[in-house]
Amino acid sequence: MAWQRTILRTASATGVGIHGGEQVALRLRPAPPGTGIVFVRNDIGISIPARAENARDLAYATTLRLRGAEARTVEHLMAAVLGTGVTNLFVDLSGAEVPILDGSALPFVELLRRAGFDEQNVTLPEMRVRRTVRVGDGERWIELRPGDELAIDYLVSYDAPAVGRQRFTGAITPQRFAVELAPARTFGFLDEVPALRQRGLGLGGSLENCIVVDRGRVLSGELRFPDEFVRHKVLDLIGDLALLEYPLRARVVAHKAGHALHVAALNELLSNPEAWELVEPDRLAALSVHPYSGESEFEAALAG
Ligand SMILES: [Zn+2]
């Protein structure tokens, strides 16, 4: 059974957005039960709930958009939110994009930990996949399969020999997320930089916030893991799964996918109500929260 959780205190960070290239101030604030994760554009006064239906512009990052307002590159923060079990949070932004910080989810995990966790003593239903859902074609696809816990099997394959073919597989526990996945940084290929910048993307990217690959060479120093690339793809997927708003019980199999396919899989699932169910907290557990209510009613009836 899942419980709702927020943070105890506000926590802040400032940094550049990897795509827009602008300095942005980020502030995380506690939120009451039932809020979910809500991005608040302080500069224009518009709030954007982090939900799959608000996900747009999915090339190279996940952007949320509502009423013309955007919150760009939310996925690493969202992965940290899911990975630390936070379910209610306000995310204030002074501009359109979440700061990239070191390119991984680790600075966000540390920010949330410094803020402290506040257990809200309110349950949250879990989302269970009942029937396999598949999106994509050819060699790029994702399947959401029934499973007892969240487990991910992700395969990437790139022409650049420095990356090559990498696979990650396993259950996603809070411990595994924090140690094996959160530190994995985003990456890009040197020969794609001019085309990216022509599209107005990657303007804030640097060797400090992105692993840069030139064919067989990594230009940005030591890797944190030999298979850091696929670990980062798993991190991206976890950030996108957080847009479901409920903890997911499923086995997710991804083959050469990316944000667009991640979100397409969520929308395919949500538009097929027979493929999933919300599992409400155990009825016995609910009774134990108010163990004496039935008894007092019985006593009142006797007294009457
Ligand atoms: Zn990423």
Side-chain angles (χ1 to χ4, degrees):
M1 178 169 38
W3 296 87
Q4 299 197 30
R5 174 185 266 194
T6 188
I7 53 175
L8 282 169
R9 307 171 272 280
T10 60
S12 304
T14 301
V16 69
I18 192 169
H19 290 302
E22 289 167 8
Q23 282 290 124
V24 180
L26 165 90
R27 183 175 56 185
L28 309 180
R29 281 186 291 127
T35 305
I37 313 301
V38 178
F39 286 82
V40 182
R41 284 285 303 272
N42 279 333
D43 51 333
I44 52 177
I46 295 182
S47 296
I48 314 171
R51 289 187 197 135
E53 68 193 52
N54 295 331
R56 300 280 187 280
D57 296 339
L58 300 162
Y60 297 98
T62 297
T63 293
L64 300 172
R65 186 184 297 150
L66 188 64
R67 303 204 306 270
E70 286 183 343
R72 300 175 73 182
T73 320
V74 300
E75 60 269 24
H76 305 159
L77 171 59
M78 290 300 291
V81 161
L82 189 151
T84 56
V86 170
T87 61
N88 300 306
L89 188 70
F90 290 116
V91 182
D92 296 335
L93 291 177
S94 69
E97 189 170 7
V98 175
I100 191 68
L101 303 178
D102 76 350
S104 78
L106 194 58
F108 297 116
V109 170
E110 289 168 349
L111 201 61
L112 289 162
R113 282 183 175 161
R114 274 205 300 280
F117 298 114
D118 183 17
E119 311 302 338
Q120 295 176 298
N121 206 25
V122 179
T123 57
L124 185 67
E126 296 186 42
M127 196 170 200
R128 184 190 298 267
V129 171
R130 300 177 61 196
R131 180 175 67 68
T132 296
V133 163
R134 182 186 171 104
V135 294
D137 49 34
E139 59 178 6
R140 299 181 187 279
W141 52 266
I142 296 190
E143 283 188 7
L144 304 178
R145 301 177 184 166
D148 288 335
E149 57 189 348
L150 177 60
I152 293 177
D153 186 347
Y154 211 123
L155 183 135
V156 300
S157 181
Y158 292 92
D159 292 337
V163 184
R165 186 181 168 95
Q166 301 186 347
R167 184 179 177 190
F168 175 96
T169 182
I172 308 301
T173 62
Q175 172 75 7
R176 191 169 201 192
F177 176 79
V179 174
E180 299 179 23
L181 297 169
R185 294 163 297 163
T186 193
F187 58 94
F189 298 94
L190 191 63
D191 57 5
E192 290 182 4
V193 170
L196 268 178
R197 295 207 160 150
Q198 232 164 25
R199 293 174 59 183
L201 296 170
L203 300 175
S206 72
L207 295 175
E208 278 66 55
N209 59 31
C210 182
I211 306 171
V212 180
V213 175
D214 182 18
R215 301 293 308 158
R217 290 193 308 148
V218 173
L219 304 181
S220 39
E222 286 275 298
L223 292 177
R224 293 178 177 176
F225 309 96
D227 59 349
E228 189 167 355
F229 304 95
V230 73
R231 289 178 193 237
H232 186 79
K233 296 291 283 191
V234 173
L235 190 162
D236 279 342
L237 172 59
I238 290 171
D240 290 334
L241 292 178
L243 299 175
L244 282 175
E245 303 178 87
Y246 299 100
L248 181 68
R249 285 183 185 238
R251 180 167 194 87
V252 185
V253 185
H255 199 267
K256 299 179 75 171
H259 294 294
L261 270 182
H262 299 167
V263 174
L266 303 186
N267 285 325
E268 180 68 14
L269 181 71
L270 292 170
S271 61
N272 284 283
E274 79 288 353
W276 56 278
E277 63 182 343
L278 279 186
V279 181
E280 293 294 335
D282 187 309
R283 293 193 75 176
L284 281 175
L287 281 174
S288 72
V289 176
H290 308 287
Y292 303 115
S293 60
E295 193 174 302
S296 57
E297 276 171 30
F298 184 61
E299 284 167 358
L302 275 181

